[in-house]
Amino acid sequence: MGGIYEVLQKIKDRPGMYIGKSSITVLRHFLVGYKFARSELGLELKPEDADFYENFQPWIQRHFNVKTSNSWANIILLFTRDEKDALSCFFRLLEEFKQRDKNLETEPKNKVFDLDHEELLSKL
C-alpha cells in the first residue's frame, strides 16, 4: 500500500474518481478514513504519513497565523473562495509543507533575510 503522498497525488490528478468531487472537506474526511483503515488493517504509518498527520495542522496554523481548534481544512477554506479553490490551495500548501525541511537544510543557519514589507507580508 502506498504512502499518503502517493494517495494524495492520485486525488490531485483525479479528485472526482477518488473522493467524488473537488472539495477540501471531503478530502479531509477521506484522509481521516485512510488513517483509520491503515490502523484497522494493522499497517503502521510510514514516516511521511506520521509527519503529515502530526505536523500539517500546526504548520497550517503557523502559515496563516491563526490559533484555533478548527481543522486544517477549515482554516484553508476560511482563506479561499470555495471548496474547489480550497482543494487547489491545499495541494499548493502541501508542496510547501513537504519542502519545509529541505529548505531549512539548504539555508545557512545565520542568514539574515532581506525582505521588503510586501515580501514579508506574503510570507505570513
Side-chain angles (χ1 to χ4, degrees):
M1 180 178 255
I4 193 165
Y5 295 133
E6 292 173 36
V7 171
L8 286 170
Q9 185 59 51
K10 290 178 183 180
I11 293 170
K12 180 181 180 184
D13 294 341
R14 299 187 71 186
M17 181 176 166
Y18 290 96
I19 61 173
K21 62 182 179 177
S22 294
S23 164
I24 195 165
T25 302
V26 174
L27 174 67
R28 182 175 175 279
H29 292 289
F30 176 91
L31 292 176
V32 169
Y34 171 82
K35 183 179 179 186
F36 177 75
R38 288 189 69 99
S39 172
E40 286 293 300
L41 292 170
L43 301 172
E44 289 187 30
L45 290 177
K46 295 181 177 192
E48 65 185 19
D49 298 358
D51 179 48
F52 175 82
Y53 285 110
E54 292 171 21
N55 298 312
F56 191 65
Q57 173 76 29
W59 185 84
I60 287 292
Q61 288 174 304
R62 284 190 305 276
H63 180 82
F64 287 104
N65 195 29
V66 296
K67 294 179 195 270
T68 179
S69 60
N70 283 300
S71 70
W72 54 261
N74 284 341
I75 295 169
I76 295 170
L77 192 55
L78 179 65
F79 289 92
T80 53
R81 291 184 304 260
D82 55 28
E83 290 277 345
K84 186 175 182 178
D85 185 41
L87 185 65
S88 295
C89 184
F90 165 80
F91 286 112
R92 287 191 305 273
L93 291 166
L94 181 64
E95 289 307 312
E96 287 181 40
F97 173 76
K98 288 171 22 180
Q99 296 299 318
R100 74 197 188 284
D101 294 333
K102 293 176 186 173
N103 290 338
L104 291 175
E105 291 171 7
T106 60
E107 300 271 340
K109 291 188 190 250
N110 294 324
K111 180 178 178 183
V112 175
F113 291 94
D114 184 23
L115 300 174
D116 66 25
H117 187 262
E118 284 186 26
E119 286 175 313
L120 183 59
L121 288 176
S122 72
K123 301 289 183 192
L124 299 177

